[in-house]
Structure formats: C-alpha cells, structure tokens
Amino acid sequence: MHDEVIARAKAWLAEDPDADTREELARLIDAEDVKELTDRFSGTLQFGTAGLRGELGAGPMRMNRTVVIRAAAGLASYLKKNGSEGGLVVIGYDARHKSADFAYDTAAVMVGAGLRAAVLPRPLPTPVLAFAIRHLGAVAGVEVTASHNPPRDNGYKVYLGDGSQIVPPADAGIAAEIAAIGSLTTVDRPTEGWEVLDDAVLQAYLARTDAVLAPDSARTARTVYTAMHGVGRDVLLAAFARAGFPEPVLVAEQADPDPEFPTVAFPNPEEPGAMDLAFARARETEPDLVIANDPDADRCAVAVRDGADWRMLRGDEVGALLAAHLVRRGARGTFAESIVSSSLLGRIAEKAGLPYEETLTGFKWIARVEGLRYGYEEALGYCVDPDGVRDKDGITAALLITELASELKEQGRTLLDLLDDLAVEHGLHATDQLSVRVQDLSLIAEAMRRLREQPPTELAGLSVVSAEDLTQGTEKLPPTDGLRYTLRGARVIVRPSGTEPKLKCYLEVVVPVSAHDDLPAARATAERQLSAIKRDLSQAAGI
C-alpha cells in the first residue's frame, strides 16, 4: 500500500499544472506521509447534482486545477455528445482561493474541445451567472464557488442551457465522461480563444432586478447590509441605488471579498456568531432591517428588531412573508418549495387559489417546476424572478423583502406584525432544525439505518401517522435518501446533507390560533413541542 500510494502521488505530480499544489504534494511525498497521501488518493471527488465541492489541495480527493480540468473536459464531452457542438459555455466565479484559476482553466478546456466560452468580467454573485446562461443563449454554465462552505473549500456548480442546475441523469452522464478522461496531456488547453465579458451582462441583470418591485411601491426602509466577505456588495448596492432605496449601511469588517473569511468561523448567516457584527452595526444605526448575503450572494438572510434586540428570521418566515407580499400584489403562477420547507406556503397558495408544488431539496428541483412564479427553500434561498434567474437569488430577494418592509413601515407596522397576521390566518407554523456535523460519515449512514429499521412510533407524545422512506420515491417525488414522518400536528424530515458532512432533521409543528391574543401561548406550546421532538428524535437516531 505504501509503495502504491507513493507511485500514484508521483504520477499525479508529473501532470499537475499548478505550482502551489505541486509543491504541497512534493513535500508529502518527500516526507513519505502515507496517512495524508492515502486520504488524498483513496478515490476521487464524486461529481453529482451539486457538481463538485471539497477542500482545496493536491490529489484526486481535493479541489485543484487537475480535478477541475478533468471535470471541464468531461462536461465538454457530455455537451458535444448531446448535440451542443460549438455551443457557448458561460463561466462565473467567486473570490475564493483558486476560483479565477478554475474558471479560466474551464474556458481553455471548452475552447480546446471546440465549444465557445465566455467568462464573467470579475468575481460576481452566482445569480448573475445563472441569469447570463439564458440571457446569452448558452448551452451550459459553470459557477466556481463553494457558497457558504469554510475558507479551505471550493466547488464547481454546473447548469445546463435552461439556466437551472443539473439533475439526474445529466449528473451521471457528465460523471461518466469525466471518468473516461485519460491523461491530462490528452486535454487540449489553448492559451486564448475565449471571451471575457464586459459589464453589459451585469447591466442586463441589474435591469431585470427592477422588475421584481411594484412600479410605485414605497422605498423607505433603511437597511444594514453584510456581504459576509463575499462578492455581493457591489451588485446589491447597485440594485438598491437603481430601485431608489436608502443606501444600505455596510458592515465594514465584512464588506470586501476575502477568501480567508476572517471574522466568521463559517461564512453562513445561519451559523452561530456569523451575524454578530451586523447586529452590532444595527444597534448603532437603528435600521428597519438587516440584510445579509452568503459569500456568493445566492442566499439572503433577514433580521429584525424583536423586543430589545435583533434576531434573524428563519428562512421559512422570510419565505412566507415574500409569498404573502407577492399574493397581495396579484402574482399568478405556481408557488413551490422543497419538502423540508414549511407547509405554510401551501396554505397561503391554497387560500389565494394558486397552484402549489413540493419538490426534493435544492433549487435544481424547485427551478424546474412548470409555470413557477415563486419558489423558496428554508436554507435562505428565494427565487422571486424565475423568468430571469432560475435559481435562488439573494439580490432580488433582498430588494423584495425591503419593499415589503417599506410598505409596512408606511402603515406603522413591521415584518413581525405581518408574521403574526399569517399565524392567526393559517395557524402558527413553527419550524426548527436538528443538525449534526460529523467527522466520520459512517455515523450518518448508521443513524439513517437505525431509523429505517426501528422507526419511531411517537415523538414528543405525538403519534406518528405515517413514516415514508423517500428512497422509494413517491407519486410526485423522485427517489432520494431521506425519511419523512407525519405526526398529529407536526412533521419531521431526516436526510444527509448534499454539500456538507451533516445529518439534517427538519421539524415543523402547527398550532391553531384563533386570535392575536393567543399567539404567546401558541408560541410557548410550539417551542415545547419542537424541543421534545428534537430530544426524542436524537434518541431514536442514536445521535
């Protein structure tokens, strides 16, 4: 094993086009660090519906230029075999380590394979790339980003010509073509021939952002904004200026793109502590709301003053607020969400007489819903302009929630007042998550096995009415690794995360409310039930 792994590492080293990873790998070989080498050469990063995502470093189990060149070559081969010979591939990238290198490697491979390639002019939000695909009539798009993953990660997200992310069987088709790539010397990589786009595509995106707002709506809400060290700031500020909102107050420490993400442990607004600097700025400036984007600006977090301090709204709360706002504005078309999001959206759509769809987790599924007008997912993802961007978009979502806050402000009301109204109208829908991050992935498989073999019959004293194993698929859903429990007045979904080493459990309880005065008691009941479900579920899953 020792000789074999050293030999594989040396063969990789001979082909590696990147001086940084060559140096790193040479050190490991010289030190005969078999443990580390085995970790890096024990397989290859798997290309799936999330594309590729992993830690930066040398070797096939890491994100690096060699892995990206192979992925690009496989994608090019797949596109050509599926009738897209000579078509345009548009490529975007964020400000993480190596993102620009991966983007330009991809452009070179596409041109070498006989396709055309266009690269966005600089690090820009993922929604700009998703927009550019359809705007430019591309056959595919690639975004180099690891979204809200830790600083040491990067990723490679693939879209097809419809502007939405790949789903099966395209992922398996591309993966098979990647696996068939031999030596890197067989991959033609010219040093020119692609186009670097100018700002026209960004201006076209910004022109579309105007369309998400009502023509004469109030634009008075004041915001504090954090880009979380990502690429959202300039585009969001431009969109807000065009719309005529007051200029957002920036969280200066997090405003500039920085691949080290120095002020946060995880650059994800949902992670503990990530919003602390934004809340501190809000206490100083007393805005109407706080807006945060994740580093590639496809997600949008919203925080409001709640009593004496600030709190972040759950993705499900923002999802319901945006839905209610669109309904009031007369939106037509299908409202859609993933199965792990709150069932409140279905109630809002039903009352408005609008079609409603549930999909598997991820915007790759939500974006494909026929006649989609609005889609959201509890993980802070909102699609409010599906004709422009068939993916989640943290810029247009920020505009729309700020418009809603402005309209409520004119009435002397807040987003929390509207949430109260929705609870009285449809019942209090309270959601929470039990999320377990692991070092050892086998712990996740073990927890899923336990729950399948011994499904709980009750949680928090509520009997389980039905237990579905989603690997079987349903009438409306393709198979996926997940479990869904329907309880009397509650719902639980358990699934392994598609992008992180986490087991995720999504909980919802619904408490009927007859009047505003009943809300405090309903909230207390919901909180009790959610924490009891968490406790019982942890026990059942052995986590």
Side-chain angles (χ1 to χ4, degrees):
M1 183 63 191
H2 170 277
D3 291 345
E4 189 185 325
V5 79
I6 297 280
R8 287 186 67 192
K10 282 181 174 171
W12 185 276
L13 181 64
E15 283 194 349
D16 192 340
D18 188 324
D20 294 338
T21 44
R22 275 205 312 274
E23 189 185 325
E24 179 190 320
L25 189 52
R27 275 200 313 271
L28 293 173
I29 294 169
D30 289 346
E32 297 195 4
D33 188 340
V34 176
K35 183 177 182 297
E36 183 64 25
L37 288 170
T38 302
D39 186 42
R40 290 162 183 248
F41 287 85
S42 58
T44 55
L45 276 187
Q46 290 306 298
F47 186 93
T49 53
L52 292 166
R53 203 177 280 189
E55 192 176 335
L56 288 160
M61 289 295 286
R62 298 286 185 271
M63 282 297 294
N64 50 63
R65 289 183 61 198
T66 305
V67 163
V68 164
I69 290 164
R70 285 175 181 280
L75 173 61
S77 178
Y78 174 85
L79 291 170
K80 286 160 70 177
K81 284 184 179 175
N82 285 273
S84 296
E85 180 78 54
L88 174 69
V89 178
V90 60
I91 302 148
Y93 59 102
D94 67 12
R96 284 176 180 265
H97 293 299
K98 299 286 179 188
S99 286
D101 293 344
F102 295 167
Y104 282 97
D105 279 333
T106 300
V109 171
M110 295 303 158
V111 171
L115 292 146
R116 291 177 296 127
V119 185
L120 292 184
R122 60 184 167 279
L124 286 167
T126 294
V128 177
L129 180 275
F131 165 80
I133 295 165
R134 299 177 73 209
H135 179 67
L136 298 172
V139 296
V142 170
E143 176 68 20
V144 181
T145 180
S147 189
H148 56 275
N149 273 38
R152 63 178 184 272
D153 288 2
N154 213 331
Y156 197 81
K157 190 185 277 194
V158 176
Y159 298 75
L160 291 181
D162 62 355
S164 52
Q165 295 172 51
I166 55 167
V167 294
D171 57 343
I174 296 166
E177 295 298 332
I178 295 170
I181 303 298
S183 160
L184 276 204
T185 55
T186 65
V187 179
D188 189 14
R189 286 183 292 134
T191 54
E192 58 185 19
W194 55 86
E195 181 187 0
V196 178
L197 296 165
D198 60 17
D199 272 0
V201 72
L202 175 59
Q203 293 309 319
Y205 167 81
L206 285 167
R208 275 224 60 112
T209 65
D210 302 347
V212 305
L213 303 174
D216 302 313
S217 60
R219 312 271 168 102
T220 53
R222 293 182 313 108
T223 54
V224 158
Y225 171 71
T226 175
M228 206 72 59
H229 301 296
V231 298
R233 177 193 60 199
D234 294 350
V235 178
L236 182 126
L237 289 179
F240 269 57
R242 287 177 70 104
F245 286 113
E247 185 177 351
V249 173
L250 297 178
V251 178
E253 303 93 324
Q254 298 175 332
D256 294 328
D258 187 334
E260 291 298 324
F261 304 102
T263 66
V264 286
F266 281 90
N268 177 356
E270 293 180 292
E271 292 284 345
M275 296 288 283
D276 287 358
L277 288 169
F279 291 163
R281 199 83 179 92
R283 289 180 203 112
E284 292 163 14
T285 56
E286 291 297 324
D288 297 298
L289 68 167
V290 174
I291 301 276
N293 285 139
D294 68 338
D296 69 328
D298 62 351
R299 287 175 167 81
C300 175
V302 180
V304 295
R305 178 174 274 293
D306 188 1
D309 207 359
W310 289 81
R311 85 161 170 98
M312 201 169 103
L313 296 177
R314 291 189 166 278
D316 284 320
E317 291 176 308
V318 177
L321 287 167
L322 291 174
H325 183 44
L326 288 169
V327 164
R328 205 192 55 70
R329 276 190 14 196
R332 308 307 299 163
T334 302
F335 279 30
E337 64 181 341
S338 62
I339 56 171
V340 299
S341 306
S342 169
S343 59
L344 176 55
L345 184 70
R347 305 263 177 110
I348 292 170
E350 185 183 11
K351 181 137 193 205
L354 294 173
Y356 163 77
E357 289 283 339
E358 270 191 326
T359 74
L360 292 185
T361 313
F363 266 82
K364 56 184 177 278
W365 299 108
I366 295 170
R368 285 185 154 68
V369 167
E370 209 171 311
L372 182 68
R373 174 60 188 87
Y374 168 65
Y376 98 91
E377 184 151 78
E378 54 69 48
L380 313 183
Y382 313 95
C383 175
V384 300
D385 175 25
D387 290 342
V389 176
R390 285 201 183 165
D391 199 2
K392 53 189 178 291
D393 182 347
I395 307 292
T396 47
L399 287 170
L400 199 61
I401 198 75
T402 309
E403 176 185 62
L404 173 57
S406 299
E407 291 189 356
L408 291 165
K409 184 181 180 177
E410 300 299 296
Q411 302 160 21
R413 304 177 75 231
T414 68
L415 295 174
L416 292 180
D417 294 328
L418 181 52
L419 282 172
D420 286 351
D421 292 351
L422 291 171
V424 172
E425 191 175 354
H426 302 288
L428 176 70
H429 289 62
T431 56
D432 202 355
Q433 220 187 89
L434 172 63
S435 188
V436 185
R437 187 180 287 276
V438 299
Q439 294 298 133
D440 179 359
L441 285 174
S442 70
L443 296 173
I444 293 178
E446 174 57 24
M448 295 297 286
R449 186 192 63 74
R450 253 180 94 136
L451 289 170
R452 282 194 171 100
E453 289 177 4
Q454 298 166 298
T457 53
E458 65 166 45
L459 294 167
L462 305 170
S463 53
V464 175
V465 180
S466 74
E468 296 167 274
D469 186 342
L470 299 174
T471 49
Q472 308 303 310
T474 70
E475 223 174 281
K476 293 202 159 184
L477 298 172
T480 187
D481 187 8
L483 299 162
R484 176 162 59 180
Y485 303 113
T486 306
L487 298 87
R488 298 207 182 283
R491 183 215 64 196
V492 173
I493 290 174
V494 184
R495 61 180 278 274
S497 167
T499 54
E500 297 175 275
K502 278 182 173 180
L503 182 69
K504 290 183 150 185
C505 312
Y506 304 83
L507 326 174
E508 178 176 47
V509 300
V510 182
V511 182
V513 183
S514 44
H516 279 78
D517 291 349
D518 300 334
L519 279 167
R523 286 208 171 90
T525 300
E527 214 166 295
R528 261 197 324 274
Q529 287 184 338
L530 284 169
S531 63
I533 291 173
K534 266 188 186 177
R535 181 197 63 220
D536 293 356
L537 187 62
S538 289
Q539 212 171 340
I543 50 172

